[in-house]
C-alpha cells in the first residue's frame, strides 16, 4: 500500500524528491559561497597591493615635504642656494668655465 487513498504520489517518493531538492539547494548555496569567498579574496589581495603602493607614495611625499620644510624654515645657507641654482636652473657664475662636448658626434664616424 504505497499509494494514499486519493491516488497521490507515495509518501516515500515525496520524501526522496524533497531530500533531492534540499541537496540541490544546499549544493547551490555551497557553490555560491565558494564563489563569493574567492572574489573577496581576490579583492583583498588587490587592496593590499594598492595599500603598499599608497604607503610608498606617502613616504615619497613625506620626504618631499621634509625637504621643503627644511628650505622654508630659513635654515638654507649660501651653499644650498648655489647648489639649487646649478642643479635646478642650470645657472653658472660669470667666472665659471663652461666646457661643451658634442656627445652625438663622438658616437658617429
Amino acid at each position: 500500500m504505497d499509494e494514499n487513498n486519493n491516488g497521490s504520489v507515495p509518501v516515500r517518493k515525496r520524501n526522496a524528491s524533497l531530500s533531492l531538492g534540499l541537496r540541490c539547494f544546499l549544493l547551490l548555496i555551497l557553490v555560491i559561497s565558494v564563489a563569493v569567498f574567492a572574489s573577496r579574496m581576490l579583492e583583498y589581495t588587490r587592496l593590499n597591493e594598492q595599500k603598499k603602493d599608497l604607503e610608498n607614495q606617502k613616504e615619497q611625499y613625506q620626504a618631499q615635504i621634509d625637504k621643503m620644510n627644511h628650505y622654508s624654515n630659513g635654515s638654507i645657507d649660501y651653499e644650498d642656494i648655489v647648489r639649487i641654482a646649478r642643479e635646478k636652473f642650470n645657472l653658472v657664475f660669470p667666472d665659471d668655465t663652461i666646457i661643451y662636448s658634442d656627445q652625438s658626434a663622438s658616437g658617429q664616424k
Side-chain angles (χ1 to χ4, degrees):
M1 295 208 160
D2 283 338
E3 285 191 29
N4 292 353
N5 292 339
N6 57 7
S8 64
V9 177
V11 175
R12 264 191 195 164
K13 285 192 176 186
R14 192 177 323 154
N15 286 342
S17 66
L18 179 65
S19 176
L20 180 63
L22 184 60
R23 288 178 190 165
C24 289
F25 177 74
L26 290 175
L27 181 63
L28 178 66
I29 294 295
L30 178 67
V31 168
I32 291 172
S33 299
V34 169
V36 168
F37 176 75
S39 69
R40 294 298 174 201
M41 285 302 294
L42 289 173
E43 183 177 356
Y44 175 77
T45 303
R46 181 186 61 80
L47 289 173
N48 269 342
E49 290 175 3
Q50 184 180 11
K51 178 183 173 185
K52 288 178 185 177
D53 291 342
L54 290 173
E55 286 174 350
N56 288 338
Q57 285 181 357
K58 179 184 169 188
E59 290 173 5
Q60 291 173 355
Y61 290 139
Q62 188 61 45
Q64 289 177 352
I65 288 170
D66 293 342
K67 187 176 182 181
M68 289 178 189
N69 282 337
H70 171 72
Y71 293 135
S72 67
N73 288 337
S75 60
I76 190 168
D77 57 354
Y78 181 75
E79 287 80 24
D80 287 334
I81 295 172
V82 170
R83 183 181 51 78
I84 292 171
R86 289 181 187 269
E87 290 176 2
K88 300 279 184 186
F89 303 111
N90 295 322
L91 298 177
V92 294
F93 285 108
D95 58 341
D96 283 347
T97 304
I98 301 173
I99 301 173
Y100 290 101
S101 66
D102 191 8
Q103 294 177 354
S104 62
S106 64
Q108 299 173 352
K109 289 187 177 183

